[in-house]
Amino acid sequence: MNTTPSTCSYSMHKETSLLYWKLLNTEAGSVLDLGSGMGGVGLAKPKDVKLYGVERDSTISAKSQGYEKIVTMEIGKEKLPFEDGKFSAI
C-alpha cells in the first residue's frame, strides 16, 4: 500500500539528504527548506543546524522529523513569516 500523499511525488532517502547537506556546505545556523514535502532534508541534518520548512500541504509535512518548525502556506502568495537575515542557507 502506498502511503505517500497524492500531492507529493516522492520521498527522499537518507543518502540524498546527505548529498543536499554536502552541497549546501552548512554545518551550523538556520536553514530554510522551501517546499519541504515529507521532510527528507531533515533525515541527515547536521546536529548544529536549525531547520525550518515551508510546505503547502500539512498532511505531507506531518511526518517530517528534524525541523524546528514547518509553516503551512502557498509559497509566493504571501510574505514568508520569518525575519530578514534569519537563514544562513535556503
Side-chain angles (χ1 to χ4, degrees):
M1 179 174 149
N2 184 359
T3 59
T4 302
S6 62
T7 58
C8 185
S9 61
Y10 75 97
S11 59
M12 188 181 296
H13 296 280
K14 188 170 184 176
E15 294 79 18
T16 306
S17 182
L18 284 166
L19 178 61
Y20 273 94
W21 289 106
K22 184 176 181 181
L23 291 171
L24 277 175
N25 194 30
T26 301
E27 295 291 323
S30 294
V31 174
L32 179 60
D33 179 11
L34 291 172
S36 56
M38 295 171 57
V41 173
L43 294 174
K45 178 187 75 71
K47 182 181 84 166
D48 294 329
V49 166
K50 290 187 177 185
L51 183 59
Y52 297 82
V54 176
E55 174 53 52
R56 67 184 179 105
D57 188 340
S58 62
T59 61
I60 291 174
S61 60
K63 295 183 179 179
S64 299
Q65 298 177 10
Y67 288 75
E68 297 290 316
K69 179 179 183 180
I70 297 178
V71 175
T72 303
M73 65 180 285
E74 286 282 338
I75 298 169
K77 298 237 179 186
E78 55 191 295
K79 185 175 176 4
L80 293 173
F82 304 104
E83 63 269 11
D84 291 345
K86 178 176 183 74
F87 301 106
S88 52
I90 299 175

